[in-house]
């Protein structure tokens, strides 16, 4: 298994109402090359779950194992490096560096990890997402769809064990969103990537092999 979640619980403290339990004993596993969608109403815990799997937050109870390594017991420096090497994240709002070109945004994770053959790897990825002619443009000079292509390329360039996508088409019009979804699923299939996608879009969720629905913090 690539990913194992065991009895994950997470609460947040509210000044007036006290502790609010957002996730309640969530458990599931994910194998190599599997694509899962996580759906649910707003406030059901989807974003919190993705944040925990990404190692950006810690659960109150339970274990999160990525390739057998428990993220919950790692010290911060090791967790940061492990996350940078193993997890690719695609955000709804793109989260690109505005002062860097498309090419520089894609190469950034490799530069941070001090990887080899960066130029060649970025060239290949630019071709895969169809941005060779726009590689030297800044995010402010690109369309929303082009920015998301950059974000997808940046997430995949590290060859992650796990790809996380948070509403990857939520900031795009329907036509552009369909194109981006097609590109993403095509790349995931060709590269045999394991992906968890949080989405409100039932058509998008339906393209995943499995749909998991969160209801009031529990998997339905």
């Amino acid at each position: 298994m690539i990913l194992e979640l065991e009895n994950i619980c997470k609460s947040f403290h509210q000044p007036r109402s006290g502790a609010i339990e957002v996730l309640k004993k969530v458990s599931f596993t994910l194998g190599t090359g599997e694509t899962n969608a996580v759906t649910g109403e707003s406030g059901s815990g989807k974003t919190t779950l993705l944040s925990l799997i990404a190692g950006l937050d810690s659960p109150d109870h339970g274990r999160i194992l990525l390739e057998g390594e428990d993220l919950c017991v790692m010290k911060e420096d090791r967790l940061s490096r492990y996350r940078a090497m193993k997890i690719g994240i695609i955000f709804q709002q793109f989260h690109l560096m505005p002062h860097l070109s498309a090419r520089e945004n894609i190469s950034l994770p490799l530069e941070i990890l001090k990887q080899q053959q960066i130029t060649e790897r970025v060239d290949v990825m630019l071709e895969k997402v169809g941005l060779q002619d726009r590689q030297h443009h800044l995010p402010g000079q690109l369309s929303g769809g082009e920015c998301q292509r950059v974000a997808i390329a940046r997430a995949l360039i590290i060859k992650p064990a796990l790809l996380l996508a948070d509403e990857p088409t939520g900031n795009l019009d329907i036509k552009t969103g369909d194109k981006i979804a097609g590109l993403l699923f095509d790349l995931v299939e060709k590269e045999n990537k394991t992906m968890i996608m949080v989405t409100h879009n039932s058509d998008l969720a339906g393209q995943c092999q499995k749909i998991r629905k969160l209801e009031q913090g529990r998997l339905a």
Side-chain angles (χ1 to χ4, degrees), residues 25-43:
K25 294 186 177 180
V26 173
S27 299
F28 65 86
T29 59
L30 203 61
T32 303
E34 286 186 31
T35 57
N36 278 203
V38 177
T39 65
E41 301 294 330
S42 295

Side-chain angles (χ1 to χ4, degrees), residues 97-111:
M97 294 293 189
H99 60 287
L100 298 181
S101 67
R103 183 184 192 90
E104 290 166 337
N105 266 286
I106 295 169
S107 67
L108 187 59
L110 299 180
E111 302 279 359

Side-chain angles (χ1 to χ4, degrees), residues 30 65 84 98 102 118 131 146 159 171 188 220:
L30 203 61
L65 286 81
I118 293 177
L131 284 176
E146 288 169 337
K159 299 182 179 177
N171 212 30
V188 164

Side-chain angles (χ1 to χ4, degrees), residues 112-130:
I112 291 171
L113 293 169
K114 298 181 180 177
Q115 297 284 298
Q116 302 296 315
Q117 298 180 311
I118 293 177
T119 300
E120 294 82 353
R121 288 171 67 177
V122 174
D123 284 341
V124 170
M125 192 55 70
L126 281 164
E127 184 176 355
K128 285 181 178 179
V129 298

Side-chain angles (χ1 to χ4, degrees), residues 35-40 46 167-169 181 185 195-213:
T35 57
N36 278 203
V38 177
T39 65
K46 302 186 303 299
E167 297 284 3
T169 62
F185 279 100
M195 180 173 70
I196 297 178
M197 176 186 293
V198 163
T199 181
H200 285 98
N201 186 323
S202 57
D203 291 335
L204 194 59
Q207 295 181 58
C208 292
Q209 294 166 347
K210 187 176 288 185
I211 299 174
R212 302 180 190 274
K213 186 176 182 182

